[in-house]
Amino acid sequence: MFIIWGTRNIRRHRGYVADFCAICRGIRAFRVSDIKLAHHFFFIPFATVKTVSQMRTCTTCGQHAFPEAGTYDAFMQQAHADIDTLVKETNPTLVEVLADRLALEDKAKQSLDQLSPDERRKLLKEPFVELSGQVAWRFARGGLMGIIRALPLVVALFLACIWIVYSDETKGAMHALVVASGVVAAVLFLVGVCWLATWKRRYMKKRIVPLLGQALAPLQPTEAELAEILHTLKTDGHKIGKKLKPQWIIQAIAAGTLRAPQA
């Protein structure tokens, strides 16, 4: 019998704060969780070791970010309906710190033509950088998730062994059962391989691309601009730059634009 034990990261709710969301392009309420290192037995945590980081999640768009320790003065136990109150209680210097960024956002809303090339590039790159931490965090969890996804492969191997051992020594109904088990093993093996080979691509298209489409739609980027940003991110070692294609984002922007009048 195999015993699976070790340590894993778990999340514990800390409270709500106010911060700037690069996807929503404004100040929003965030739910903050402490990421703790915990011992586990068969993936069931039973004792926490220490807090390793914090993660904030926008309550509007759902994007994750990882603030530095001590960023917030306090945490509210409920998301306050009045964002100004949430700012005052949890992040009182936010508006002052973001004065230039908020002014740039107002400038972009008035007319994109008013933006300088550097300002436009900054605004285009911002959501990619914001989501880069979320992508890296999700990919890092691939170790645990990979084990879970590999279970069909283990089952497939087990069934294949049954087939090899008994198929030549069994007759009649038992032989048919073993043959059927071999077919199931082959199918499970193929499903497991396909899942492991494509989960990162599916995650990017399902979770990340829609957020980028939402954030970048007001800027109306070209495919060439997106390709340049992705190349820069890839060169700098960001995983988000390696797994995205510019045309996916263009399609997401177009789809969002088409749905907007129906909202």
Side-chain angles (χ1 to χ4, degrees), residues 2-214:
F2 290 101
I3 298 178
I4 302 175
W5 63 280
T7 57
R8 56 172 293 195
N9 288 336
I10 60 173
R11 283 184 283 177
R12 291 289 182 262
H13 177 72
R14 183 69 179 274
Y16 292 90
V17 301
D19 213 323
F20 182 82
C21 177
I23 307 303
C24 299
R25 311 182 70 85
I27 295 175
R28 296 290 187 270
F30 284 80
R31 182 177 64 254
V32 177
S33 301
D34 288 330
I35 299 180
K36 296 177 177 290
L37 188 66
H39 295 292
H40 74 83
F41 183 73
F42 283 96
F43 305 116
I44 300 175
F46 61 87
T48 57
V49 178
K50 61 180 179 179
T51 299
V52 294
S53 63
Q54 285 185 334
M55 181 173 72
R56 66 171 187 249
T57 304
C58 177
T59 58
T60 301
C61 70
Q63 70 99 350
H64 303 312
F66 298 85
E68 296 181 1
T71 298
Y72 308 109
D73 286 11
F75 299 90
M76 299 188 71
Q77 292 309 303
Q78 294 183 345
H80 206 284
D82 181 7
I83 191 66
D84 292 334
T85 300
L86 195 60
V87 170
K88 181 180 179 181
E89 296 293 332
T90 65
N91 203 353
T93 63
L94 179 63
V95 176
E96 179 182 353
V97 171
L98 291 176
D100 292 341
R101 176 61 185 84
L102 296 175
L104 185 59
E105 189 66 29
D106 290 338
K107 185 178 179 180
K109 288 179 179 179
Q110 292 174 9
S111 175
L112 294 178
D113 294 335
Q114 295 184 23
L115 296 175
S116 69
D118 287 343
E119 289 174 336
R120 178 173 176 80
R121 193 175 299 108
K122 176 182 178 180
L123 291 179
L124 286 172
K125 188 177 180 180
E126 183 180 56
F128 290 93
V129 175
E130 185 79 359
L131 291 171
S132 179
Q134 177 174 336
V135 171
W137 173 75
R138 180 62 184 85
F139 284 8
R141 292 176 63 212
L144 172 61
M145 300 306 294
I147 292 175
I148 296 174
R149 294 190 184 97
L151 290 179
L153 302 183
V154 176
V155 174
L157 180 61
F158 176 76
L159 294 176
C161 290
I162 293 178
W163 191 7
I164 293 172
V165 172
Y166 292 104
S167 60
D168 291 334
E169 302 176 3
T170 55
K171 304 294 183 181
M174 180 59 70
H175 182 75
L177 177 61
V178 173
V179 171
S181 299
V183 173
V184 172
V187 172
L188 289 175
F189 179 81
L190 291 175
V191 169
V193 170
C194 291
W195 185 276
L196 288 171
T198 62
W199 77 268
K200 289 183 179 181
R201 177 188 176 98
R202 288 184 285 106
Y203 172 76
M204 297 299 285
K205 296 190 75 170
K206 183 178 180 180
R207 301 294 185 185
I208 301 302
V209 170
L211 293 175
L212 288 171
Q214 174 185 335

